[in-house]
Amino acid sequence: MWLRQVALVAHERDPVVDQLEKVLGIETAYNDPEVGIFGLINAVMPVGGEFLEVVTPVKDDASALRYLHRRGGDAGYMLIFEVEDAKAHRTRVLGLGARQIAALDKRYVFTHFHPGDFGGVLTSIDSVTGVENWFDRDSDWPPAGPDWRNAKSTNAKGILGASVQTKAPAALAARWGELLGVKVEEGGLGPELRLVRGVVRFVEPVDEDGTGVVGLDIAMADPERALAEAAKLGLPISGNAVDICGVRFALHNA
């Protein structure tokens, strides 16, 4: 299992995209029209072989708008995991009591699971049919469009992990471990799931809401250059981390 894509939700897409592009040294590859069915517009940016997405609700009944209101502003929104066979995982996860809220069964296969079953995080398990080596960093990824490999990533080299806040880290880690079929291990910041590629950590709350994706670890060719760009933009910086869209981006040497 691979943490392939992370979505952030923002009241205004373009300013957040501009910050991510300048700080991380990445480019937008695709604006996916298919997210319109969820009342959204988006931008997808390659980060090495992984992807960052920014979504903005444009319809009053969009669930992402309710999420923005609940979290009190821009925030981490969704974790998307790639596997070899998403249909098999769907059957297993539904059998464990999780609820499906959206699904697709074409060349691109996905299941979106109810955030209430994942501690407040919208979660998806996806696969791409007919890919010779799905685990290749250059493998097809339809949410990023057909030409994503042409989008430059001059500094950021990959998404290493994500941090999920919760008032009960051990209990939520155990439930995620069951749902994703991954062993829970003890990390430096608390319980975590170490995937074949990527880590999901469970941490104590950092805000009043107490749920959601609150941190990302990014592999960088030059973290200092990224922090200098963040300073130019007036973004909050603490040590090796910068806050963008309600998420703390910890920048690590690649």
Side-chain angles (χ1 to χ4, degrees):
M1 184 172 285
W2 177 3
L3 178 56
R4 193 81 199 266
Q5 183 165 319
V6 178
L8 315 178
V9 61
H11 283 286
E12 295 185 57
R13 177 192 63 182
D14 293 347
V16 171
V17 169
D18 183 63
Q19 292 171 354
L20 291 169
E21 290 184 337
K22 288 178 177 175
V23 172
L24 300 181
I26 57 179
E27 291 182 347
T28 296
Y30 194 50
N31 303 114
D32 186 358
E34 297 297 328
V35 302
I37 194 173
F38 302 113
L40 304 171
I41 57 172
N42 82 340
V44 181
M45 294 155 279
V47 183
E50 288 84 46
F51 302 88
L52 278 174
E53 178 184 13
V54 178
V55 302
T56 290
V58 291
K59 292 185 179 179
D60 291 341
D61 61 350
S63 60
L65 183 60
R66 296 192 295 274
Y67 187 81
L68 276 171
H69 290 159
R70 197 194 86 204
R71 289 296 306 278
D74 297 355
Y77 185 52
M78 183 178 188
L79 298 181
I80 301 174
F81 301 93
E82 186 177 7
V83 296
E84 186 171 13
D85 182 357
K87 290 183 181 179
H89 280 270
R90 176 192 297 160
T91 299
R92 182 182 58 78
V93 174
L94 293 178
L96 292 168
R99 292 163 288 175
Q100 171 184 309
I101 58 174
L104 183 70
D105 287 313
K106 295 184 177 179
R107 179 171 180 262
Y108 178 48
V109 179
F110 70 68
T111 313
H112 296 177
F113 296 100
H114 197 294
D117 300 321
F118 280 83
V121 179
L122 180 59
T123 305
S124 187
I125 299 178
D126 305 12
S127 62
V128 184
T129 305
V131 172
E132 183 175 347
N133 184 4
W134 68 274
F135 200 60
D136 189 313
R137 287 189 180 275
D138 282 331
S139 63
D140 288 353
W141 188 242
D147 301 317
W148 70 263
R149 297 168 188 83
N150 295 327
K152 295 178 182 178
S153 184
T154 59
N155 197 346
K157 300 304 178 184
I159 298 175
L160 302 174
S163 295
V164 174
Q165 67 170 347
T166 170
K167 297 174 183 176
L172 188 59
R175 180 56 172 162
W176 274 62
E178 179 185 32
L179 291 169
L180 298 185
V182 179
K183 179 183 177 182
V184 179
E185 302 187 50
E186 193 62 30
L189 299 176
E192 60 186 29
L193 304 179
R194 299 173 192 169
L195 312 176
V196 175
R197 186 170 286 155
V199 175
V200 181
R201 298 183 181 88
F202 299 86
V203 300
E204 296 288 342
V206 299
D207 60 36
E208 186 175 346
D209 178 69
T211 67
V213 178
V214 294
L216 292 176
D217 291 279
I218 309 293
M220 305 291 295
D222 188 347
E224 293 302 322
R225 175 158 59 93
L227 293 172
E229 290 295 329
K232 290 179 186 178
L233 296 173
L235 295 169
I237 297 171
S238 177
N240 71 325
V242 54
D243 293 351
I244 302 174
C245 197
V247 173
R248 175 149 294 187
F249 285 76
L251 310 179
H252 305 273
N253 284 301

